[in-house]
Amino acid sequence: MRLSVLAVAMAMSASVVSAIDLIEIKGRHFYNKATGDPFFIKGVDYQPGGSSGFKTGADPLSDPDKCARDIYLFQKLGINTIRVYSVDPEVNHDKCMTLLAAAGIYLVLDVNSPLLNQHLHDLEPWTTYTQKYLEHVFQVIEVFSGYDNTLAFLAGNEVVHTAGSEKVVPRYLKALVRDMKGYITNHIHRIIPVGYSNADHVEFRVSLAEYLSCGSVGYIDFFAVNSYQWCGKNTFSGSGYDVLVNDYGNYSLPIFFSEYGCNLVRPRIFQETEALFSDKMTGVFSGGLIYEFTNETANYGIVQMSTNGKDATILPEFDTLQKVHAAASSPKIPSGATENPRITKCQPKSYYWNITGDSDLPDTLGASFIKDGVTKGKWVKGKFLEEKDLTLSTTSTIKDTAGKEVTDKKVKVVASIKQDPIPSGGHGLNTGGGVGEGYVPDSPDNNNGTSGNNTDSAAGSVQFAFGTVLAGALAAALATL
């Protein structure tokens, strides 16, 4: 949160409401920047109407009344994060994002949508990796970077999935991450982590994670996994979660479930949620997002919307998950958890099992945007509103599992939404972004096959970046007193 020194002092003295704090990465976990406590993602995937129903002119974060309805339910569910798959950067999100922040809830946001020129094709990515596509990506980043509760951006979701995609998509994903980070460095005032959401294919579970995290250009800040392997009543080893934890045991970056919640056995009892926030997993995993909030055609939802999309009925699995979340209220990093350095030199492309891990990245088609930004004036960073401007209670009808109408539907304000003006320009630090260079100079594929295992501490590099930004902000605040 960008607060003046005086405001910080006032916030410390008034303990009823605390600021919505920034979340940072140190090593292989997320942390609350203000308190220093580990931050575990406890959330849901949120795209009412499903991705196939997405159209321009509206999105899940553009209707204040519907946001009030669902944020009330988010609080009831006991979550701290939502994931949204598709947004329209041309519509206003200030009210919904401010209300989320006031409720203490963060956003993990995909930068893609199913619409034309807004995603990468999984088998022919070169046909969709275009200037128009990158412009859309940068527009989303520009708008949502203004909100302190924007926790992270996802460069893609299961783009490596269809047979054959593992050979052609990885280098385009790495190029996209490079481009996103280049734009953030030059035009966004704070570091916002960039990652990827992976379909949990065992054949490239580890190799894709390793490839996307290596090198000095285009490396991700975290890796996310869509996992549905724990079904019904099971055990840590019987579900294969022990293998999952072991496979990522030596990984250097934060990992979380970007989707989870098998529905093959009903009703769901969410034993996997208990495991996810236990010491068996918290040394490696940083929580996860249940798939999904609203009930769509695949029948994963925990809330049923009316046919007009306005009213909501809580389903029994909502109550079950609420109880499981409450029982897992204070996850901790176990004392024996290890930290591993990030590999700063990529291996030859033949090294990465079952994928083509090519370090010769395509040249960016977004160099002009990375240098000059998206059109000024049209694309403006979002901002928090004052509490008096918020819709805290919805006009929608909400019914509980017994069919009884809920009367007290008011969102509880638990975090401060005071926000100083956003400084112009970018944070200016090298976090693996680029401005058009497709060539990766330290890749073995580009130096006659000479391999290396150069590493650095992900904790050190990312923490240094945050520390530099903090020092600048503190100096600026002191200068105003």
Side-chain angles (χ1 to χ4, degrees):
M1 190 69 181
R2 293 171 298 281
L3 296 171
S4 67
V5 173
L6 179 59
V8 170
M10 292 175 65
M12 291 175 65
S13 64
S15 59
V16 176
V17 175
S18 61
I20 183 76
D21 298 319
L22 294 175
I23 304 300
E24 66 179 357
I25 290 174
K26 292 191 290 184
R28 66 188 305 174
H29 286 89
F30 295 95
Y31 289 83
N32 182 302
K33 185 173 174 61
T35 67
D37 295 331
F39 180 85
F40 290 90
I41 292 172
K42 186 186 294 183
V44 293
D45 297 309
Y46 179 64
Q47 191 78 34
S51 294
S52 60
F54 176 73
K55 299 177 182 178
T56 57
D59 62 42
L61 301 174
S62 65
D63 186 323
D65 189 66
K66 291 180 179 178
C67 285
R69 174 198 67 197
D70 295 341
I71 293 171
Y72 161 78
L73 291 171
F74 294 160
Q75 286 190 312
K76 184 177 177 67
L77 190 60
I79 66 172
N80 59 23
T81 307
I82 62 170
R83 175 191 181 182
V84 173
Y85 293 80
S86 301
V87 293
D88 181 351
E90 294 202 38
V91 300
N92 191 285
H93 304 93
D94 289 350
K95 288 187 176 181
C96 287
M97 287 298 293
T98 306
L99 191 59
L100 279 170
I105 296 172
Y106 294 85
L107 171 69
V108 173
L109 181 62
D110 291 64
V111 297
N112 300 283
S113 94
L115 303 183
L116 182 66
N117 296 316
Q118 295 185 9
H119 61 274
L120 284 177
H121 192 281
D122 59 348
L123 293 178
E124 298 178 340
W126 54 88
T127 65
T128 50
Y129 180 76
T130 63
Q131 186 179 54
K132 197 168 185 65
Y133 166 62
L134 292 175
E135 183 178 22
H136 167 77
V137 170
F138 298 150
Q139 289 165 358
V140 172
I141 291 173
E142 183 73 27
V143 170
F144 280 87
S145 67
Y147 307 115
D148 281 353
N149 55 333
T150 297
L151 192 158
F153 293 117
L154 286 168
N157 179 65
E158 298 188 350
V159 193
V160 182
H161 184 54
T162 307
S165 60
E166 74 282 359
K167 299 187 181 300
V168 294
V169 168
R171 65 192 292 258
Y172 282 90
L173 282 176
K174 205 168 182 70
L176 175 58
V177 171
R178 171 202 64 196
D179 298 344
M180 292 171 66
K181 287 189 158 193
Y183 189 91
I184 291 171
T185 291
N186 289 349
H187 303 287
I188 306 305
H189 59 288
R190 67 180 177 97
I191 295 173
I192 302 178
V194 176
Y196 173 69
S197 175
N198 187 46
D200 190 30
H201 287 285
V202 176
E203 58 267 30
F204 53 77
R205 171 189 286 174
V206 175
S207 57
L208 184 61
E210 288 182 344
Y211 168 71
L212 291 177
S213 66
C214 76
S216 59
V217 176
Y219 57 86
I220 55 174
D221 298 309
F222 63 89
F223 192 69
V225 180
N226 297 340
S227 175
Y228 296 90
Q229 66 190 68
W230 187 313
C231 298
K233 189 175 182 179
N234 212 321
T235 64
F236 185 67
S237 58
S239 66
Y241 267 34
D242 59 335
V243 176
L244 192 66
V245 170
N246 183 68
D247 283 347
Y248 290 119
N250 293 324
Y251 200 54
S252 60
L253 305 180
I255 301 177
F256 62 89
F257 285 152
S258 41
E259 294 177 6
Y260 78 103
C262 171
N263 69 348
L264 295 180
V265 179
R266 308 303 285 264
R268 290 185 288 180
I269 57 177
F270 300 111
Q271 279 187 327
E272 67 268 48
T273 303
E274 297 177 30
L276 181 59
F277 294 106
S278 73
D279 287 353
K280 290 182 178 180
M281 296 192 70
T282 52
V284 175
F285 280 81
S286 293
L289 300 137
I290 282 285
Y291 191 83
E292 62 183 322
F293 184 70
T294 57
N295 202 31
E296 309 297 342
T297 55
N299 200 30
Y300 280 90
I302 55 177
V303 173
Q304 184 67 56
M305 295 301 169
S306 60
T307 54
N308 64 6
K310 178 176 174 60
D311 302 322
T313 299
I314 297 172
L315 299 177
E317 289 179 349
F318 180 104
D319 292 343
T320 303
L321 182 60
Q322 179 187 25
K323 293 174 183 176
V324 174
H325 277 166
S329 59
S330 302
K332 294 179 174 60
I333 300 173
S335 58
T338 59
E339 295 288 341
N340 304 297
R342 188 181 68 81
I343 305 299
T344 58
K345 179 170 285 190
C346 293
Q347 299 291 344
K349 60 185 176 183
S350 59
Y351 167 85
Y352 298 100
W353 190 40
N354 288 332
I355 66 167
T356 301
D358 196 340
S359 295
D360 185 10
L361 307 182
D363 290 340
T364 185
L365 298 177
S368 61
F369 298 121
I370 294 172
K371 179 177 181 290
D372 300 321
V374 292
T375 305
K376 303 302 180 185
K378 181 177 181 181
W379 306 106
V380 179
K381 291 179 175 65
K383 62 180 181 180
F384 287 160
L385 305 177
E386 295 183 23
E387 186 176 332
K388 65 180 179 62
D389 298 321
L390 297 181
T391 303
L392 294 176
S393 188
T394 181
T395 62
S396 301
T397 298
I398 300 176
K399 293 182 179 181
D400 63 19
T401 53
K404 183 179 178 181
E405 185 174 345
V406 177
T407 55
D408 183 10
K409 302 173 290 187
K410 189 175 182 179
V411 173
K412 294 179 175 63
V413 176
V414 299
S416 169
I417 51 176
K418 177 177 171 56
Q419 198 171 27
D420 286 342
I422 298 171
S424 60
H427 60 72
L429 299 167
N430 180 10
T431 61
V435 290
E437 302 90 340
Y439 182 72
V440 181
D442 61 358
S443 164
D445 290 322
N446 297 325
N447 59 15
N448 299 319
T450 303
S451 63
N453 283 322
N454 291 15
T455 64
D456 71 4
S457 168
S461 60
V462 176
Q463 181 62 14
F464 169 76
F466 276 107
T468 305
V469 173
L470 176 61
L474 181 58
L478 289 171
T480 64
L481 296 180

